[in-house]
Amino acid sequence: RSYTFRLSASILDNLGNYDAILYGELTLTANGPPTSGVLRIDPPFGKELITLFSLRAPYWTDDPSDYPLSYEFQYSLDNTEQTFIFSSSSFSNISYEIPIFSLGLSSEKSYSNGYFPSGLIENNYTIYCIVVVSDFYSASTKSYRSIVVNKVSTSNEDEDSINYFNYVNILNKLEMSGQLNDMLQFINVGINNL
């Protein structure tokens, strides 16, 4: 979108007639955010700290002069498309910011993999995922998708239980395959899950 600004000046002769009209124009082009993309997550449901989710953000476009695009994958335990307002005897109409956790640093990769903690029982174990897509000039937009991440048992009889040995085994596999970003993200989810 372009905006043109014009500054005009008039010069009057001794009789009050216009002798000359001068003007200058400046056209500015506003930068728009990336458009037309989506956030896809596979699988749509899984188990905390066990299921490896694949996040993809295809089809994002922008003006060629605004490239490269960067992608930051995030998640929240609450619906991030809302801001909650609460009241109490000492506070009224205070905005509550919903905590958002990052799956890693922003990068030019339009995909990521991640482990998630279980969602909150009051939200039916839903995790709210977000991709923030930004262009070179920091104009950004978001796309949202929810998944269901169920709690797993901590009992030793359950094959999907989370225990120290399973946790360490996954960390070792990530380290040996050189997936340090995934390893740090897994540690972060594990800590949030305590």
Side-chain angles (χ1 to χ4, degrees):
R1 186 170 211 159
S2 295
Y3 300 93
T4 301
F5 299 92
R6 177 183 280 193
L7 176 63
S8 300
S10 302
I11 300 174
L12 300 175
D13 63 16
N14 292 341
L15 300 173
N17 298 319
Y18 290 105
D19 192 31
I21 298 176
L22 305 169
Y23 70 89
E25 287 185 348
L26 174 65
T27 300
L28 300 175
T29 302
N31 182 30
T35 61
S36 306
V38 295
L39 173 59
R40 293 189 173 155
I41 305 173
D42 188 51
F45 55 88
K47 295 183 179 182
E48 66 179 337
L49 296 172
I50 292 175
T51 305
L52 180 62
F53 291 88
S54 171
L55 294 86
R56 303 283 181 259
Y59 312 122
W60 291 96
T61 62
D62 206 344
D63 185 273
S65 65
D66 295 348
Y67 285 100
L69 300 181
S70 63
Y71 303 82
E72 183 179 358
F73 295 91
Q74 305 170 335
Y75 72 93
S76 177
L77 300 178
D78 283 315
N79 189 343
T80 59
E81 294 184 76
Q82 305 174 27
T83 299
F84 296 103
I85 305 295
F86 66 90
S87 297
S88 71
S89 58
S90 55
F91 301 100
S92 63
N93 295 331
I94 302 293
S95 176
Y96 171 71
E97 290 295 320
I98 298 168
I100 296 175
F101 305 97
S102 180
L103 289 178
L105 299 175
S106 180
S107 80
E108 292 180 24
K109 293 189 322 185
S110 64
Y111 58 90
S112 182
N113 296 310
Y115 294 93
F116 293 97
S118 68
L120 300 174
I121 192 169
E122 60 265 24
N123 292 336
N124 297 316
Y125 300 105
T126 301
I127 295 288
Y128 301 91
C129 299
I130 310 144
V131 62
V132 179
V133 184
S134 304
D135 67 17
F136 179 77
Y137 300 103
S138 298
S140 65
T141 189
K142 295 178 182 180
S143 184
Y144 301 87
R145 177 84 50 207
S146 61
I147 57 175
V148 174
V149 182
N150 291 305
K151 255 190 167 344
V152 295
S153 168
T154 54
S155 101
N156 290 334
E157 289 111 34
D158 186 355
E159 67 182 53
D160 284 339
S161 69
I162 288 291
N163 61 43
Y164 175 78
F165 297 109
N166 289 349
Y167 191 82
V168 170
N169 189 31
I170 291 171
L171 284 175
N172 286 335
K173 286 180 185 177
L174 291 171
E175 181 182 27
M176 289 176 64
S177 65
Q179 297 171 308
L180 298 182
N181 192 44
D182 291 343
M183 187 174 119
L184 291 173
Q185 190 265 328
F186 185 78
I187 292 169
N188 183 42
V189 169
I191 291 169
N192 286 336
N193 217 32
L194 295 177

